[in-house]
Amino acid sequence: QKEVEQNSGPLSVPEGAIASLNCTYSDRGSQSFFWYRQYSGKSPELIMFIYSNGDKEDGRFTAQLNKASQYVSLLIRDSQPSDSATYLCAVYTGKLIFGQGTTLQVKP
Amino acid sequence: SQTIHQWPATLVQPVGSPLSLECTVEGTSNPNLYWYRQAAGRGLQLLFYSVGIGQISSEVPQNLSASRPQDRQFILSSKKLLLSDSGFYLCAWSPLGTPNTEAFFGQGTRLTVV
């Protein structure tokens, strides 16, 4: 079992819709959870981090964490074509482990 | 402010040749340091991480090695490159002992082994 799992996609949504990205992790001792965005050929950049159960909102982005289910998600409201990128889930367990990423396509 | 430098940006090397990629961090002390590799269309695979000088943890058996000769310097090396070593190599740092903060990435090195 992979430590951090994501559906590779692509996930295609129309402009203005809500995009929902999901991630599961295997280590129950995981302490912190991160969502990164990566444009083609570029380095990942942080969107949000979350470490407590529940929701955390930042602008159009909402991260959700459920430690009992070992599940973390990212919602993007009012999706824009500029949101088209690969979204990487990362989990800190004493080291930072990434999932394989989900490719999001927002169609105008 | 903190910055991370990684070079070179692109590299084309023949099979069997050696490799040395360098990463340095400025503006912070005692960082956690990471080397990741990303194959085309894939996620980030953790290769090595370090919590201090001379302290290197290897995550994946391979023909690569890492060293941390100074607090803010992290080097990725190979004695003989394989075709499968091609990929996008990323160095990252995060503050030591603070897991709730992000990892900051260098610009990456795109390595093509021919």
Side-chain angles (χ1 to χ4, degrees):
Chain A
Q1 180 185 8
K2 293 183 180 178
E3 293 182 79
V4 181
E5 295 203 51
Q6 297 179 253
N7 187 323
S8 61
L11 172 65
S12 183
V13 301
E15 183 175 356
I18 296 175
S20 178
L21 304 161
N22 305 314
C23 173
T24 59
Y25 59 95
S26 59
D27 187 343
R28 287 193 172 274
S30 300
Q31 301 171 43
S32 305
F33 309 85
F34 304 82
W35 282 100
Y36 283 79
R37 177 175 60 199
Q38 185 180 27
Y39 293 111
S40 181
K42 302 296 185 182
S43 299
E45 53 182 352
L46 182 77
I47 300 174
M48 296 186 68
F49 72 84
I50 186 168
Y51 54 90
S52 298
N53 274 330
D55 296 357
K56 180 180 179 181
E57 185 174 320
D58 184 1
R60 296 187 296 114
F61 299 94
T62 299
Q64 300 174 317
L65 175 62
N66 184 325
K67 289 188 175 181
S69 300
Q70 295 175 247
Y71 176 92
V72 59
S73 65
L74 179 70
L75 300 178
I76 306 175
R77 291 181 299 279
D78 188 24
S79 296
Q80 300 297 309
S82 59
D83 294 326
S84 298
T86 296
Y87 289 80
L88 298 162
C89 173
V91 176
Y92 184 83
T93 61
K95 55 191 176 184
L96 194 60
I97 303 297
F98 283 80
Q100 67 267 41
T102 298
T103 300
L104 173 65
Q105 299 173 346
V106 181
K107 297 187 175 181
Chain B
S1 63
Q2 303 89 356
T3 56
I4 178 170
H5 302 280
Q6 184 182 346
W7 66 91
T10 60
L11 192 59
V12 180
Q13 292 284 95
V15 169
S17 64
L19 173 73
S20 180
L21 301 180
E22 188 166 343
C23 172
T24 59
V25 181
E26 297 179 354
T28 188
S29 298
N30 304 315
N32 286 328
L33 295 172
Y34 299 87
W35 278 112
Y36 293 91
R37 177 172 62 198
Q38 187 174 36
R42 306 294 296 275
L44 274 63
Q45 179 187 34
L46 180 61
L47 301 176
F48 301 95
Y49 72 98
S50 172
V51 298
I53 295 174
Q55 301 178 61
I56 310 293
S57 296
S58 176
E59 292 297 300
V60 180
Q62 63 223 326
N63 68 322
L64 299 172
S65 61
S67 62
R68 184 171 178 173
Q70 301 180 41
D71 180 45
R72 291 170 290 179
Q73 184 184 29
F74 206 22
I75 298 172
L76 182 69
S77 303
S78 174
K79 293 182 179 179
K80 290 185 178 181
L81 285 168
L82 306 173
L83 287 174
S84 58
D85 291 324
S86 294
F88 190 40
Y89 287 80
L90 288 156
C91 179
W93 77 273
S94 66
L96 183 65
T98 53
N100 295 327
T101 60
E102 67 179 298
F104 301 85
F105 284 86
Q107 66 171 358
T109 296
R110 188 160 304 280
L111 171 66
T112 304
V113 182
V114 296

